[in-house]
Amino acid sequence: MILVIAEQREGKLNRATWEAVAAAQQLAGGAPISVAVLGASTGGLGQELAAASVAAVLVAENAALEPYTPDAYAAAASTLIESVKPAYVLLPHTYQTRDFAPLLAARIRKPLVTDVTGINGTGADATFTRPMFQGKLAAQVKPQAGPPAIITVQIGAFRADAVQKGGAAAVKKVDLQIDPSAIRQKPEAPFREAKQAVDLGQAERIVSVGRGIKSQENIALAEKLATAMGAEIAASRPICDNGWLPMERQIGSSGQTVAPKLYVALGISGAIQHLVGMKGSRTIVAINKDAEAPIFEVADYGIVGDLFEIAPALITELEKS
Amino acid sequence: MKIAVCIKQVPTREWQPRLNDQKTWIREADISYEMNEPDAYALEEALRLRERHGGEVVVCSAGPARVQTVIREALARGADRAIHVEHDSLGAADAFVIAEALAAAMKDEAFDLVLTGLQSDDQGHGQTGVILAERLGIPSSTIIMDVRIEGSSMRVKRELEGGWFQWLAMPLPALLTIQSGINQLRYATLKGIMAAKKKEIKKASLPDGLQPSQQVVGLAVPTRSKQTQMITGSPADAAKELVRRLRDEARAL
């Protein structure tokens, strides 16, 4: 049995849930899969999930699960695991699971393999591929001391549209006891810092800068290139952390997700947090001095070299015509 | 306030990976190391909290003898003292082992607040802080962008996806994993470096019988998901060729 724990917010499934179901179907190799959805009131989500070819959908409703807290979710998931006794527990790798999955693993003293991009083999013999060293290396990992092993699946690594549908899964209610006094975090309502003045999601072309730009003065060079290309300027996280460009121009898991016609990565090494925000772009150009930089793994065109020589040359070339 | 900051020593960003003969781990011989960047932000946040609320900042690290370099650096930036769980095996240990090792060395200190970076730039499990909190019996919250102490409790700002945030109230003691960019880092002054030489680094031993939760059975340079066309030549030639291909092949300009 493989247990997938769905992620929902305000009655809407996170799309990454379907990617986790696809990963579970690959890992199961025919073994049964249960999908659980947690929340105060999950509405029609149980029925929605039952469209997948799985053995059962478990609906675990408890008032203590709303709003989300790591303490309530870890308590609920450990109770579920105790009753289902799965060989694996699969979750999408999101800000929410990054918060509660390690707590769950620590509490039940079971292994947690995070940010998984590939599954090799099925069942008990499976190994899991995950990035290490900022994506410079990919590790094959074998969980020890399961079952269950808890696995979080990287966004975009499995295809939501690859989920086998057409099951006749029964939707079952599960009773959960959660002691509200054991919930130590008291969350307030989520908010956005400032109105997103720039919607990079609408940009046709984006020139994005990373650490390779070296100093704030050099941002002007990237802006000039963006103008020459008819592109918006954007950046990876460290540039916005330094205040060299405003946070609203940040691409990646903590910023915006974009898929423009053209994405030019200027001095961006390509840490996974950045790649998830841009790898859907139609054409990707990487310019980097390090030939081994992970950004080249997703690039259509690559130039290895000094961006301070290449960007001016590009501007000259673009301004010719 | 008694604040602990857990820091890890990781290979520098410029490091080019080289594998051991079995291709199960990196070749450690020729690596240069630095402080894990998210941990540097956690340290800075701890120093700022001490400036506001008083108390002490204790740096905690689990690793081989080499991690003394980053411990000294943290002391030079202003931490008061350090605890070092020293063992050669800790250089490649997973999050469970590191967290258990730290918990054993930290539990009698009764810290009011424990800060860690949200993940390490080497193995990147993103688990050590939260497991440590559970072992210390204190609550945790992750990916934190602001910390406001209010008496015996605090309010923290947690980052969510896609530009969203959320404030949470939590009791103390507690553990927070800190997001990069929460503050502006300070660097060590000459005076700080001199003072660090006299600060205490308490050695702690690794508890017996800790078992890894996962084993790396293979390590490789990732396979490319796309066939990248590499464009070579002088900057002017490469620029010309790239623009041509973006216009004619990709029709992206």
Side-chain angles (χ1 to χ4, degrees), chain B residues 75-122:
Chain B
L75 294 172
R77 288 189 195 186
D80 298 286
R81 60 186 173 94
I83 299 172
H84 177 194
V85 187
E86 185 179 337
H87 198 277
D88 283 345
S89 69
L90 288 168
D94 70 15
F96 259 88
V97 171
I98 300 273
E100 297 277 5
L102 288 170
M106 292 168 70
K107 64 178 191 308
D108 294 335
E109 291 271 356
F111 290 108
D112 298 306
L113 181 64
V114 182
L115 303 182
T116 70
L118 83 169
Q119 63 182 34
S120 63
D121 287 347
D122 56 358

Side-chain angles (χ1 to χ4, degrees), chain A residues 95 99 112 130 133 136 138 140 142 144 185-186 188 191 193 205 211 254 273 296 299-302, chain B residues 13 15 37 119 122 127 140 142 158-159 165 167 169 213-215 217-218 220 228-229 231 249 252:
Chain A
Y95 275 48
D99 197 46
L112 167 60
R130 63 180 303 276
F133 301 97
K136 286 178 187 165
Q140 300 288 331
K142 183 121 182 70
Q144 311 286 306
Q185 304 87 1
K186 309 288 177 220
E188 298 168 20
F191 66 96
E193 197 86 292
R205 298 181 200 88
R211 286 177 199 269
S254 54
Q273 295 86 345
F296 287 114
D300 299 278
Y301 300 102
Chain B
R13 285 182 179 273
W15 167 72
E37 187 176 78
Q119 63 182 34
D122 56 358
Q127 302 181 32
S140 60
T142 59
R158 184 166 187 261
E159 185 180 290
F165 297 89
W167 285 95
S213 70
Q214 47 197 288
Q215 189 194 349
V217 294
T228 310
Q229 300 188 40
I231 298 171
E249 266 177 26

Side-chain angles (χ1 to χ4, degrees), chain A residues 34 104 152 223 300:
Chain A
S34 291
L104 169 66
T152 69
E223 280 172 336
D300 299 278

Side-chain angles (χ1 to χ4, degrees), chain B residues 22 27 42-44 56 84 88 101 104 120 128 187 228 232 240:
Chain B
Q22 300 79 38
R27 258 180 60 169
L43 170 64
E44 178 63 41
E56 65 167 346
H84 177 194
D88 283 345
S120 63
T128 304
Y187 293 93
T228 310
T232 54
K240 191 172 178 182

Side-chain angles (χ1 to χ4, degrees), chain A residues 16-107:
Chain A
T17 295
W18 292 108
E19 298 175 5
V21 173
Q25 287 176 336
Q26 185 192 321
L27 174 62
I33 297 168
S34 291
V35 184
V37 57
L38 314 181
S41 154
T42 61
L45 294 180
Q47 283 305 329
E48 193 181 334
L49 288 162
S53 173
V54 295
V57 174
L58 308 174
V59 174
E61 292 184 342
N62 189 303
L65 291 166
E66 188 62 42
Y68 161 82
T69 56
D71 281 347
Y73 265 64
S78 65
T79 309
L80 263 176
I81 289 167
E82 216 169 281
S83 70
V84 177
K85 298 191 169 42
Y88 291 101
V89 180
L90 266 64
L91 307 121
H93 189 71
T94 63
Y95 275 48
Q96 189 163 303
T97 61
R98 285 163 74 183
D99 197 46
F100 83 84
L103 181 58
L104 169 66
R107 197 160 288 174

Side-chain angles (χ1 to χ4, degrees), chain B residues 1-3 43-57 76-80 149 183-187:
Chain B
M1 262 187 103
K2 196 168 164 184
I3 308 170
L43 170 64
E44 178 63 41
E45 197 59 23
L47 296 174
R48 288 175 187 222
L49 289 170
R50 185 191 60 190
E51 282 157 12
R52 241 171 282 151
H53 304 283
E56 65 167 346
V57 172
R77 288 189 195 186
D80 298 286
I149 305 293
N183 47 39
Q184 292 286 319
L185 300 179
R186 77 188 67 189
Y187 293 93

Side-chain angles (χ1 to χ4, degrees), chain B residues 205-225:
Chain B
S205 53
L206 181 65
D208 291 329
L210 295 184
Q211 296 298 320
S213 70
Q214 47 197 288
Q215 189 194 349
V216 177
V217 294
L219 204 55
V221 174
T223 46
R224 293 195 168 167
S225 56

